[in-house]
Amino acid sequence: MKLLVTGGAGFIGSAVIRHIINNTNDEVVNLDKLTYAGNLESLAEVSDSERYTFEQVDICNRAEVDRVLAQHQPDAIMHLAAESHVDRSIDGPAEFIETNIVGTYTLLEATRQYWHALEGNKKTNFRFHHISTDEVYGDLPHPSDVQEEGVKLPSPPAGEGQGERGKAGELPMFTEQTPYAPSSPYSASKASSDHLVRAWHRTYGLPVLLTNCSNNYGPYHFPEKLIPLMILNALEGKPLPVYGKGDQIRDWLYVEDHARALCKVVKEGQVGETYNIGGHNEKQNIEVVHTLCDILQELRPQEKSYRDLITTVTDRPGHDRRYAIDASKIEKELGWAPEETFETGIRKTVQWYLDNLDWCQRVQDGTYQRERLGAAG
Ligand code: NAD
């Protein structure tokens, strides 16, 4: 297959491309504008492959997108290009409307024209895979909201094929049927793009697939996001700013598990279907920060505990309190399950940052100095 990956120089897109080049015989065209979040260094280990091509293109530029499609004739598109940081969307929503909504619309229209002109198997087998987030669903009840005695967080599935989640007595999770209720400019722009993709399927018959995934973590994550920010600040002895009480719950998934899931969906998913992807790892932000501090203490011991650097700051405006994904559909229908537990994945992640501090320095130079974003509201 020849796959066109948009946003392939970003955190998840680069993991997808590394996975494809390292584990399949497929070809990849990486279409990326290279914003502050895009970095070709994240692809250094695969960029010499004959099966990899890079196109520096903005998805909002219709003529350029048309050219790339005509020139490379992809069998499928995996659409990851987006503005992705909630805090930046609070400070400047315009870019999110432009890339996430107008850009997705532009890509859909270009794809529709390209797909329409295809023939035979190439047309029948073509797929447009839109990669989205669980944040489109808004937030879920938090354990501290629940007065009822005995209600607890959902338990992980008991084994393969089980996956019965959100049972009586447990807090609910997001399923593919959960109504959309986005809270931030970021999640609202992603929700809009999801609606456009479904409309292009229903109205024009474009063969689409959608995935909504929980918070990812792992190597090559831009240092504005919680986990790399905390690791880098801790190593420099800087404060570890935790929003509000730090009790917000996210369902963490190791990025390489997400990449494997996406590659399965684009090849084996049912046209028109949505698959939720998650890691069965519900953790409060403060627990994540404690874990990072403790692993650092082990790998880079210092006299004073890294935990002493933790400081609380004003909460993010509109901050969602809890996300949790019921991933039983993709587990049952496509046989995907995460390979990493939070404990194994987070340890690998800390080790990766310790080994790649030069990458962190280079991607931050001239773009971001780990200052607080999105506080204004
Ligand atoms: P990222 O910010 O790390 O990377 C985004 C990439 O898109 C960058 O390489 C950037 O240069 C590129 N890009 C931005 N605007 C563009 C444009 N107009 N034209 C072409 N390229 C452009 O994002 P990420 O964390 O890798 O997320 C990828 C996708 O997955 C996004 O759609 C995001 O909504 C979704 N997602 C992310 C997470 C997460 O935890 N990071 C979870 C679920 C879903």
Side-chain angles (χ1 to χ4, degrees):
M1 263 177 111
K2 187 185 265 192
L3 296 150
L4 177 75
V5 176
T6 73
F11 169 49
I12 302 171
S14 67
V16 168
I17 294 178
R18 291 191 303 272
H19 177 82
I20 296 170
I21 298 294
N22 289 331
N23 298 287
T24 74
N25 292 321
D26 295 334
E27 290 174 59
V28 182
V29 180
N30 175 13
L31 183 156
D32 198 298
K33 177 181 173 182
L34 297 185
T35 68
Y36 79 96
N39 202 291
L40 291 178
E41 258 193 80
S42 310
L43 293 158
E45 72 178 70
V46 295
S47 55
D48 285 342
S49 167
E50 284 177 356
R51 293 181 286 120
Y52 171 79
T53 314
F54 175 61
E55 292 277 5
Q56 185 168 2
V57 167
D58 183 338
I59 53 166
C60 299
N61 183 337
R62 174 69 193 268
E64 273 293 274
V65 174
D66 284 343
R67 175 192 62 77
V68 169
L69 290 174
Q71 188 175 326
H72 295 283
Q73 299 280 311
D75 300 305
I77 296 176
M78 300 174 82
H79 175 37
L80 294 101
E83 287 295 330
S84 70
H85 189 33
V86 176
D87 287 340
R88 284 185 194 266
S89 83
I90 295 168
D91 290 339
E95 202 72 40
F96 288 71
I97 304 305
E98 187 62 19
T99 287
N100 299 359
I101 307 179
V102 179
T104 299
Y105 155 75
T106 306
L107 186 63
L108 280 168
E109 275 297 80
T111 305
R112 180 164 74 94
Q113 182 181 303
Y114 165 74
W115 169 72
H116 202 70
L118 295 177
E119 288 174 352
N121 279 346
K122 182 109 178 160
K123 184 168 191 174
T124 315
N125 296 333
F126 181 81
R127 299 287 182 267
F128 181 95
H129 178 180
H130 179 61
I131 284 81
S132 192
T133 164
D134 62 354
E135 301 195 25
V136 297
Y137 299 124
D139 64 359
L140 287 164
H142 190 277
S144 64
D145 304 333
V146 182
Q147 302 304 322
E148 207 183 318
E149 225 175 282
V151 174
K152 53 182 195 298
L153 286 176
S155 44
E160 210 184 324
Q162 298 246 347
E164 189 201 337
R165 314 294 301 275
K167 294 182 288 227
E170 293 184 348
L171 289 174
M173 310 179 81
F174 296 135
T175 72
E176 288 80 1
Q177 281 72 46
T178 303
Y180 277 29
S183 311
S184 69
Y186 163 66
S187 53
S189 68
K190 289 298 292 186
S192 307
S193 65
D194 292 11
H195 289 318
L196 291 174
V197 172
R198 291 198 178 94
W200 259 242
H201 174 60
R202 174 90 189 247
T203 303
Y204 304 111
L206 189 71
V208 308
L209 298 150
L210 288 95
T211 47
N212 293 83
C213 187
S214 59
N215 278 51
N216 283 213
Y217 69 99
Y220 300 104
H221 208 179
F222 192 80
E224 65 192 354
K225 303 281 170 72
L226 179 75
I227 290 176
L229 178 76
M230 294 296 157
I231 297 172
L232 297 177
N233 275 13
L235 288 171
E236 290 174 19
K238 290 185 173 161
L240 307 181
V242 171
Y243 292 176
K245 288 192 271 179
D247 62 350
Q248 306 84 3
I249 294 175
R250 300 291 180 262
D251 179 356
W252 293 94
L253 179 69
Y254 192 63
V255 67
E256 291 173 14
D257 277 326
H258 189 194
R260 279 191 310 106
L262 297 179
C263 292
K264 228 177 193 327
V265 169
V266 76
K267 291 197 174 176
E268 299 170 32
Q270 288 289 321
V271 168
E273 291 293 314
T274 296
Y275 299 89
N276 279 355
I277 307 173
H280 312 308
N281 286 312
E282 285 190 56
K283 303 272 178 217
Q284 293 192 8
N285 284 349
I286 190 72
E287 281 182 79
V288 172
V289 177
H290 283 155
T291 305
L292 293 171
C293 289
D294 297 347
I295 297 174
L296 280 173
Q297 193 63 38
E298 210 185 303
L299 300 177
R300 283 283 188 284
Q302 60 167 30
E303 216 165 286
K304 247 180 131 209
S305 165
Y306 287 99
R307 288 193 185 207
D308 293 347
L309 296 169
I310 295 173
T311 163
T312 51
V313 297
T314 50
D315 206 351
R316 167 191 283 166
H319 207 174
D320 287 332
R321 307 228 21 240
R322 176 173 166 254
Y323 302 141
I325 281 273
D326 177 345
S328 53
K329 177 174 172 179
I330 186 170
E331 289 169 2
K332 277 188 200 141
E333 294 186 13
L334 302 183
W336 172 87
E339 287 178 0
E340 299 290 344
T341 63
F342 187 70
E343 289 63 34
T344 58
I346 199 72
R347 192 166 277 276
K348 280 190 184 175
T349 304
V350 174
Q351 189 62 58
W352 186 88
Y353 278 92
L354 289 173
D355 294 342
N356 290 278
L357 292 172
D358 50 343
W359 178 90
C360 300
Q361 196 51 52
R362 282 195 294 275
V363 298
Q364 289 174 94
D365 275 351
T367 57
Y368 175 61
Q369 303 310 313
R370 302 207 295 280
E371 63 275 16
R372 171 84 198 260
L373 301 168

